[in-house]
Amino acid sequence: MDPPPRRLAAPLLLLLLLLAAASPAARAWKKDEFRNCNQTPFCKRARTRAPHSLDAPLSLAAGSLAVSHDGSISAELSHPSRPRPLVLRLSALPPHALRLQIDEDYSTATPPHRRFHVPDVLLPDLEARTLHFPEPKTAAGVSTVALSSDLDVVVKHDPFELTVRRAGSGDPVLSFNSHGLFDFEPMRESKPEDETWEEHFRSHTDKRPRGPQSITFDVSFYGADFVYGLPEHGSTSLALRPTRGPGVEESEPYRLFNLDVFEYLHESPFGLYGSIPFMIGHGDRASSGFFWLNAAEMQIDVLAPGWDGATAQENGRIDTLWMAEAGVVDAFFFVGSEPKDVIKQYISVTGTPSMPQQFATAYHQCRWNYRDEADVDGVDAGFDEHDIPYDVLWLDIEHTDGKRYFTWDRSAFPNPEEMQRKIADKGRKMVTIVDPHIKRDSSFHLHQEATDKGYYVKDANGNDYDGWCWPGSSSYPDMLNPEIREWWADKFSYENYKGSTPTLYIWNDMNEPSVFNGPEVTMPRDAMHYGDAEHRELHNAYGYYFHMATADGLLKRGEGKDRPFVLSRAFFAGSQRYGAVWTGDNSADWDHLKSSIPMVLTLGLAGLPFSGADVGGFFGNPEPDLLVRWYQVGAFYPFFRGHAHHDTKRREPWLFGERRTVILREAIHMRYSLLPYFYTLFREASVNGIPVMRPLWLEFPDDKETYNNGEAFMVGPSLLAQGIYEEGQKSVSVYLPGKESWYDLRNGSPYKGSVTHKLQVLEDSIPSFQRAGTIVPRKDRFRRSSTQMVNDPYTLVIALNSSGAAEGELYVDDGKSYDYQQGAFIHRRFVFADNKLTSFNIAPDNLGKKFTSDCVIERIIVLGLRSVAKKAIIEPGNQEVEIESGPISLRSGSSPVAPTIRRPYVRIADSWTIRIA
Amino acid sequence: MRLLLVGALLLCAAAAVESKPPLDTLGIPPQDEAYYRGGVIKCRDGSGRFSRDQLNDDFCDCPDGTDEPGTSACPEAKFYCKNSGHTPVTIFSSRVNDGICDCCDGSDEYDSNVTCKNTCWEAGKVAREKLKKKVATYKNGVVIRKQEVERAKEAFANDEAELAKLKGEEKILQGLVDKLKEQKRLIEKAEEEERLRKEKEEKRIKEKAEKQATVEKGAPDASQDVDSKETQDHVQEDENKVAEQHDGHATDHDNHVTESGASAEQHGSVSKDGISAETGTVDELPQKESAAPTLEKDLSSDNPEGLSREELGRMVASRWTGESVNEVSKDDKKGHEDEQEIPEPAEEALEDELEIPEPAEENYGGYHSEVEDDRHKYEDEEFDHESEDEYVDDHDDHVESYRSDDDQKGDHHSDLTEPGHASWLDKIQQTVQNVFQKFNFFKTPVDLSEASRVRKEYDDASSKLSKIQSKISSLAEKLKHDFGKDKEFYSFYDQCFETKEGKYTYKVCAYKKASQAEGHSSTNLGRWDKFEESYRVMHFSNGDKCWNGPDRSLKVRLRCGLSNELSDVDEPSRCEYVAVLSTPAVCVEEKLKELQNKLDAMSSKQPGHDEL
């Protein structure tokens, strides 16, 4: 129950109410609580510097460039005024990727501290995959070496500048320091008398005992019309807008600093919960990427053409300025002929996304909080009563005993195992929250153990860091330390986590880390970690290590047989290996619905395919129409979860009247019907990192119309959808790319490609289309949860292109284990051509384990078929089946629109051909 | 015999589960079987037609599911389970052969990898027992309700009579008061004239004296003193009137007003400032105001420098939790919630209309006696709803006045009809007549004792009048309410229902308000709004504001029970409360018939009957 409000004097209450009502900003983002670039000395310094104006520009020490025994190229960078030289290393990664590392030379003079290298992000086999560079050719202070058959690396010696260019044309693709902004503050032995290293922000003091150590450089993307990436920021724009230069009003740079931002803005370069320093440049002539592995605070400017005062603007080049507070240069240059290649290369460095279990791709129901077992029962029953499927029910922080994670509030949840069993009996799962802050309570065994073992992050004085979070006074395990991660992982065993069962999965929140009384609501930068590392050096990766340890815990718990499901709020490069992320505490307004698309698309481009935004908006009460629109869009998010703040009204999908219940059910049903397609897309993502939800230009890289379209999106290669982001919108313009037509998912109507269509907005769906030339597998029978759909038959929807052809894939495995890694899966390619549909096996069949299924195809809908045949012949067997005109979806009132092959009953596991006679 | 029966039943059930049922009846309710006869059958939504061999062929031909009542092929189809021995049910097609037993006869899983036991006999028995109990409750409830309705009609008629009577009295009294007022005015005029005359006289004497002895200073005159005192009395009286008017909009705590003149002035002034005159507010106000800037600073957080690290942590946490900075944390809030009783699981919900029969409790208390007790418990609550206030105001007077004036504490209705009561009005009339007769307006100087008697009579009569008027308005207010088709909720007007859940005490006063009390602090969960869902729900709205949330509200679901009992208070959404009230008022005959029919149907469908 809600406690009675504290008695406030009426005038004060009134004042507060007025404040809340009159200025929404008063409730929203607290700008002053966060540092801007001007308040951040390294950023201010770097940002105000003019090109080529450095006092001590670094240059290659004469004769130092050489190919090392491991095949990489090394060199020394120096300037007469610097105390020590820097060591440069270049390595080639196939295909078309270059790694540039620059660090201090610790062999000549040892500084008191080594700079931080972010561990456990790059794949361990990276070094082994490094190619052997040929001998560089040096002439007139420029060395050139081949990166691949069609790419060269060009190193200018004085000042140091690096360019990756096409071997044939000599066109540059990416360059480093071509504006002479590369600065690398050397670590100093001790603080000079006349300097102050301390930094103050509001009531907080950062001692900065190691002094300045920032790094800045400029990177240029040639042939790029736009740059993308750098999650996480609120934005309604898919492309990164310029932050400096002609035509840009006062703007902060894009900030990468993981923070728990209360009521974040939907449009701001300010950094949110996660950071991935990866940027993609794309134009119709080139696609390239740049990744800087650095976990310190980073600020990045996207510079508008002419920012440098250059009059003759090179066509299609975007310059960017990268600034970090600490760390080293460990940068990757990716060159793709297509944008998908760039993502694949990034993934080849940071790892492939984990393959989720089937249930995790279905609908999740969450709320802060489902309060007790009766509430859980009631919500579960509500879904059944209204025939709305869902797979996972979530419990937020209130389920614990006083925010002591791994415990249960036994008065509300006296029998957690029984509760989970009841949910599991319907094939459903549960998720509980486990946050990194541990309640400082001597009677809490976890705290006691962490204290005794010295597992907590330390403050600047070497004591266990004590911050404030949900439980009050809290400490934070030092997840950087592999031993502590191991210890943490063990906490998820059934023995250690009392009340957990095999159908319970985990949610990591607040892992930025969020510290309510810390500077900028996080941990002080001078806190100390394992290996003499300062928090400032790894801040952006703390949540990543926490996510990693939790996922490892679930893996251990299931003896390596059960794929973990862990949702994390904070993330870093590589988080894709450990699970899903979501866009944090958004708000129930139309702008946040709109910005969710560019945000989720950007996460996908940065290697995190499994993401979504809280459907409905976390803060505030969505108007029913907004909620409906959110479900309709959310049903396409790779991670589809409804969630709400505890102050909001209940919003389970049947609470908004009969009509809306029907529409919401429809939206969720659509997701369930597309689960086979989604799962196939997750498979693709897990192999090469190509996101599930994609910007249009990823599928249509030559179509300039698509480059900054952040309103529409692709789900895989076959479906396009566009949200309705305005209240009461009557019509909507939807651009359908490419030369081929598109078929309306609801009624099969064809629409021409390369045209912006003005469509009437419907209440019961958002514009969504299947691209001609594709085949989408569906399951059109609905169940309580995805678990009961396993044996249900499939429907194939074939959308023929102008040459009467189409193709698509279906991937199926057991939906939960790792057997697929030994080949236990079905992977088919369906090809339709010449009035014939053929199912080909594309799974390698020599991997060991097998998976099969008796599932059949019950219906094949062929959109755009010119034949009027009434029969089809199945081979082998020469069996005849009927073709009738049928609807595209099985909803009351839908009318027959396309030839439908009735009950072919061919098994998805088999190879066959169906010929339309 | 019974064993045999059960045995036969089990055999039969087992057979039913194992063999695939005939397709032409699978999942079709008996009343629809006729629809499916014939060679070509229409989809119900008119979208098409299908042949007989397409019926239940596990392929959806009609998007509305007409052709697949017995399979999961059409998402919109419904499956009928016969459930012999229990109640037939219709389930969503999504449940057919999904591996979960939904029908007690197991007929929904005819082609899946689970074997469902036929549990209809057992489940049916339990359900019948429950239904029997429910029917019994309804039977008794209907009787009680009838009595209540009778009583309510009588009470309503009495109240209407009372109102008419009061209006008559008001008219008479008004006449008297007007007369007295006029008389008072004349007296005052006479007094004023006398005063002026005296003054003139004094002035004359004084001037004379001054002339006589310039050294002598004029001491204040005794008569002047009296005059000024009288003027003050007038002022006082006016202020009292003002105070009374304001009290009409204030709270019961204003009985201080009538208790002491001094505090009346104070309260009056507070009321004028538009601040509710809650007990203690006056004293606390300065303190709270001084506390305000601090808190404001905390919340705006513009200057955290002054905060301790813990305060900062709490302040930032409070943004998410919406809690006061001074409260410990979300955790502790939860800690409080922990003590809440968890609502009974779903079973309870299903059977929520069942009540264990209990002897009917006579709750039909008197109008005031009942409320009086309640009021005292409400010590620190606001009653600023207008209608209510008048009522409360009346009540405040009543504490004293009914005792002294009516001599008949207790039932308000009967007061009026008793002869003693009538004499009360006569007495006043008589007195006034006497006053009129005795008072000599032309006598000079004014007889002071007569004048004060007139004033007293005026005061008495007008206070009596205002009491009657307030009774009239409260009664009229009451009668305006919706008491249900048969006035079955009439007795609710003067009742509050209470229940304790954890450390909170919930109190629901129909037509007035609902509250949640914890110790001495009380939260308003809502003011009476209306009945909803044809008198199945009482809605209270616009309660205390929730931080970052809606105004508190409460929906009380009514179910048939033999006495009025509040239970199952819950808060499914923040600050949106629900509760259940058992009451005979909703034990309606039609529902009883319906239940009885259902029970009869269930009993007749027992497999025993079928088999035999």
Side-chain angles (χ1 to χ4, degrees), chain A residues 476-492:
Chain A
Y476 299 73
D478 185 2
M479 291 297 166
L480 178 64
N481 184 342
E483 176 190 323
I484 299 175
R485 289 205 294 268
E486 194 78 16
W487 167 78
W488 182 257
D490 284 333
K491 299 300 163 208
F492 291 90

Side-chain angles (χ1 to χ4, degrees), chain B residues 222-381:
Chain B
S223 65
Q224 199 179 6
D225 201 18
V226 168
D227 276 356
S228 73
K229 189 168 175 280
E230 272 171 6
T231 320
Q232 273 176 7
D233 280 352
H234 292 305
V235 171
Q236 177 70 62
E237 187 177 84
D238 288 346
E239 282 193 5
N240 270 338
K241 267 189 253 169
V242 170
E244 270 173 51
Q245 275 168 11
H246 278 278
D247 294 344
H249 298 272
T251 76
D252 52 345
H253 306 291
D254 287 331
N255 50 23
H256 297 295
V257 172
T258 47
E259 277 167 20
S260 87
S263 81
E265 261 186 45
Q266 203 183 353
H267 275 258
S269 67
V270 169
S271 295
K272 275 174 218 160
D273 291 340
I275 294 167
S276 71
E278 196 179 331
T279 311
T281 305
V282 175
D283 304 298
E284 279 173 42
L285 209 56
Q287 193 194 336
K288 280 177 184 170
E289 273 170 349
S290 71
T294 333
L295 191 48
E296 204 181 330
K297 190 190 81 184
D298 286 356
L299 292 167
S300 72
S301 80
D302 282 323
N303 178 14
E305 263 71 12
L307 300 182
S308 75
R309 305 210 344 106
E310 179 171 334
E311 281 165 350
L312 181 61
R314 287 185 198 282
M315 187 269 287
V316 173
S318 73
R319 290 178 190 153
W320 278 269
T321 61
E323 268 166 34
S324 156
V325 175
N326 301 321
E327 278 175 51
V328 179
S329 72
K330 207 165 93 178
D331 168 23
D332 291 294
K333 190 204 95 194
K334 177 61 190 177
H336 298 209
E337 287 175 357
D338 295 347
E339 291 164 39
Q340 283 308 317
E341 233 166 75
I342 298 147
E344 292 292 313
E347 196 192 338
E348 168 88 0
L350 286 173
E351 297 302 325
D352 64 357
E353 289 178 32
L354 249 185
E355 268 294 307
I356 297 139
E358 262 181 29
E361 217 179 275
E362 189 54 75
N363 248 336
Y364 202 85
Y367 179 1
H368 280 119
S369 55
E370 170 87 11
V371 176
E372 208 171 305
D373 294 341
D374 298 335
R375 291 299 160 214
H376 290 298
K377 289 179 203 155
Y378 269 164
E379 221 65 310
D380 54 355
E381 294 195 33

Side-chain angles (χ1 to χ4, degrees), chain A residues 439-490:
Chain A
K439 187 176 173 74
R440 295 189 58 83
D441 165 5
S442 54
S443 65
F444 183 30
H445 67 94
L446 198 65
H447 169 65
Q448 210 45 59
E449 208 182 319
T451 308
D452 294 347
K453 290 177 183 281
Y455 279 177
Y456 284 135
V457 175
K458 304 287 185 286
D459 64 20
N461 302 318
N463 303 315
D464 285 350
Y465 172 66
D466 179 348
W468 194 273
C469 209
W470 297 131
S473 188
S474 307
S475 288
Y476 299 73
D478 185 2
M479 291 297 166
L480 178 64
N481 184 342
E483 176 190 323
I484 299 175
R485 289 205 294 268
E486 194 78 16
W487 167 78
W488 182 257
D490 284 333

Side-chain angles (χ1 to χ4, degrees), chain A residues 16-33:
Chain A
L16 289 173
L17 288 177
L18 280 174
L19 271 175
S23 79
R27 261 188 74 215
W29 187 47
K30 307 271 188 290
K31 188 181 179 188
D32 296 342
E33 285 182 20

